[in-house]
Amino acid sequence: MSIDILTFGCRLNAFESEVMRGHAEAAGLADTIIVNTCAVTAEAERQARQSVRRAHRANPAARIIVTGCAAQIDPLSWSRLEGVTRVIGNVEKLTPAAWTAPEAIQVADIMQVRQTAAHLIEGFGTRARAFIEVQQGCDHRCTFCIIPYGRGPSRSIPMGAIADQIRTLITNGYHEIVLTGVDLTSYGTDLPGTPRLGQLIRRLLAAIPELPRLRLSSIDPAEIDPDLWHVIEHEPRLMPHLHLSVQAGSDMILKRMKRRHRRHHVIEATARARALRPGIAFGADLIAGFPTEDEPMFNDTLRLIDEAGLDYLHVFPYSARKLTPAARIPALPMAERRARAATLRAAGARRAAARFQSMIGSTVIALAEAPTTGHAENFAPVRFTRAVAPGSLITGRVIGADATTITLDAA
């Protein structure tokens, strides 16, 4: 039996791909290719469509099943691609019944979903780091974002189920767990007692002392709750690396994006975290060339990289998404968007290179993700001086650095 899964997009998709693998195997599907799509940009959709066409050319007899956010939003267009035998929605893909049902299109109205079931998985194939879904969906409507239409309303996994999943993964040899969600800082608003994300982390770390490393995926800089500030300061097992959903550094653009934060929130959050946890690193998502962004507005975003100390950047040229309010505003020329994205990436690369140089002589503990590569606690990419066991935690001294990597003496 052959089941290949092509995963696009976020860490939540990576988790859900493993859930689907289990359901597809239990259903006895043979010679099947599952394409788990992303809809965050037009480029993400293009790459997924290209992968479907490529997979069909390479294996015309294979069953191709398309799922994920892009499939949820526009199932009919995906069903028309040559070789696609089934399209499954984002809720249905996580249910065993969907993998044995005869319908060619199984996509319900995700906006009516109010609960998310917990799913227990054993591992992530060759990945050394494990991702766990703790939250799903989003109740906010940023003007550029199509994802709520693919994921539905915000809903959370109860703490007990999350703890059970973590214990299973630790038993199976994982040393680092990443908590993932669509809107992670909205965790718990739908649960009894409305626990916040910080309370979840405090309780998980207290209940599972054998967990060596816990990491967070993207969070909103204006919604870090008091308990989360506490664990940032006092809990070394929470990795000193926060990825912030920033998007822009201009207050006017942030307002037009309908974001929950403003420029000063990003600067204040990074300064506070740095004071509580010296050496903490920050990643950020940035959109270049949002409609109406002029040169001064763009420069506000460019300056924010240094003012907030953003080290690892995910930069995207603005991509108009059908159904979103921003898509109705005249867009900047794509060449301008790409040029601004390149400028932001270059600024981020300079900051990252400087951070790597500053780590020379320090001692770090790195998670080995391959025999000679991994990531440090602050998510700096690591190159080991000798081959090590993937999945292990390696303590060593940083003996060198270049623009993209630190070198760890693993002797």
Side-chain angles (χ1 to χ4, degrees):
M1 179 173 65
S2 171
I3 298 174
D4 293 326
I5 302 183
L6 307 178
T7 303
F8 295 84
C10 64
R11 291 167 172 175
L12 191 57
N13 259 7
F15 171 83
E16 291 173 342
S17 285
E18 295 307 314
V19 176
M20 288 190 290
R21 187 186 303 278
H23 291 330
E25 290 175 349
L29 299 184
D31 201 11
T32 298
I33 300 168
I34 300 169
V35 182
N36 196 6
T37 64
C38 173
V40 70
T41 64
E43 176 62 17
E45 286 198 34
R46 187 194 69 80
Q47 291 179 5
R49 289 181 187 276
Q50 188 178 54
S51 75
V52 170
R53 297 185 182 102
R54 188 182 300 117
H56 180 61
R57 288 195 302 268
N59 191 354
R63 175 191 291 109
I64 298 178
I65 299 174
V66 181
T67 185
C69 287
Q72 174 70 43
I73 294 166
D74 190 7
L76 192 58
S77 71
W78 290 91
S79 71
R80 291 169 176 161
L81 291 180
E82 189 174 2
V84 172
T85 59
R86 213 181 314 178
V87 178
I88 302 178
N90 263 340
V91 172
E92 292 80 6
K93 72 182 183 182
L94 303 178
T95 64
W99 299 91
T100 57
E103 293 84 2
I105 297 179
Q106 301 174 64
V107 182
D109 181 2
I110 201 166
M111 304 309 291
Q112 302 305 313
V113 179
R114 292 295 179 269
Q115 292 183 325
T116 292
H119 302 278
L120 194 65
I121 61 174
E122 300 296 319
F124 284 78
T126 59
R127 290 178 184 265
R129 181 181 293 106
F131 308 118
I132 295 182
E133 173 191 338
V134 302
Q135 183 274 338
Q136 176 67 266
C138 185
D139 291 335
H140 302 281
R141 292 296 180 270
C142 297
T143 59
F144 59 86
C145 186
I146 192 67
I147 298 306
Y149 298 96
R151 290 289 181 177
S154 180
R155 49 216 192 268
S156 310
I157 303 293
M159 293 185 187
I162 297 169
D164 289 343
Q165 176 66 90
I166 291 175
R167 291 190 183 98
T168 296
L169 291 166
I170 292 172
T171 299
N172 290 341
Y174 288 87
H175 294 102
E176 182 172 305
I177 304 297
V178 183
L179 303 185
T180 70
V182 176
D183 183 24
L184 199 56
T185 46
S186 72
Y187 176 84
T189 56
D190 57 321
L191 294 177
T194 61
R196 299 292 302 278
L197 178 64
Q199 184 181 141
L200 169 67
I201 295 168
R202 288 187 72 169
R203 291 176 61 180
L204 289 175
L205 291 171
I208 313 173
E210 65 272 27
L211 171 61
R213 293 162 66 125
L214 185 67
R215 197 179 293 277
L216 302 180
S217 62
S218 181
I219 62 173
D220 191 294
E223 295 200 336
I224 303 177
D225 64 79
D227 277 327
L228 183 48
W229 283 121
H230 178 88
V231 292
I232 288 171
E233 180 179 11
H234 296 290
E235 183 49 78
R237 290 183 293 157
L238 179 66
M239 294 294 94
H241 165 244
L242 297 177
H243 190 87
L244 305 177
S245 179
V246 174
Q247 312 306 348
S250 160
D251 280 346
M252 182 56 72
I253 292 298
L254 288 168
K255 184 177 180 179
R256 290 170 180 168
M257 287 178 167
K258 207 175 177 182
R259 296 293 296 166
R260 287 161 277 171
H261 69 275
R262 294 295 179 261
R263 191 176 204 278
H264 71 91
H265 289 120
V266 182
I267 296 171
E268 291 165 2
T270 56
R272 181 175 179 181
R274 215 172 268 113
L276 297 175
R277 191 82 172 268
I280 193 170
F282 301 95
D285 297 319
L286 295 175
I287 295 174
F290 184 81
T292 76
E293 181 188 81
D294 59 20
E295 197 69 26
M297 293 172 183
F298 168 70
N299 286 331
D300 282 344
T301 298
L302 184 59
R303 287 197 306 273
L304 183 67
I305 294 170
D306 285 326
E307 291 175 19
L310 306 176
D311 301 302
Y312 313 133
L313 301 184
H314 290 171
V315 179
F316 308 92
Y318 169 73
S319 179
R321 303 274 69 204
K322 187 175 65 174
L323 303 179
T324 64
R328 298 194 293 268
I329 307 172
L332 300 181
M334 180 53 79
E336 182 66 23
R337 286 180 262 166
R338 288 174 176 160
R340 291 180 182 181
T343 300
L344 294 176
R345 291 189 187 108
R350 287 194 295 272
R351 281 203 59 88
R355 171 171 283 273
F356 302 152
Q357 287 291 327
S358 74
M359 295 177 67
I360 294 176
S362 65
T363 297
V364 303
I365 304 174
L367 174 68
E369 296 166 62
T372 58
T373 59
H375 280 86
E377 301 103 314
N378 67 0
F379 214 61
V382 171
R383 179 174 52 248
F384 301 111
T385 55
R386 65 173 177 84
V388 298
S392 59
L393 295 176
I394 304 298
T395 302
R397 182 172 173 269
V398 180
I399 60 172
D402 57 26
T404 61
T405 317
I406 61 173
T407 300
L408 193 66
D409 185 359

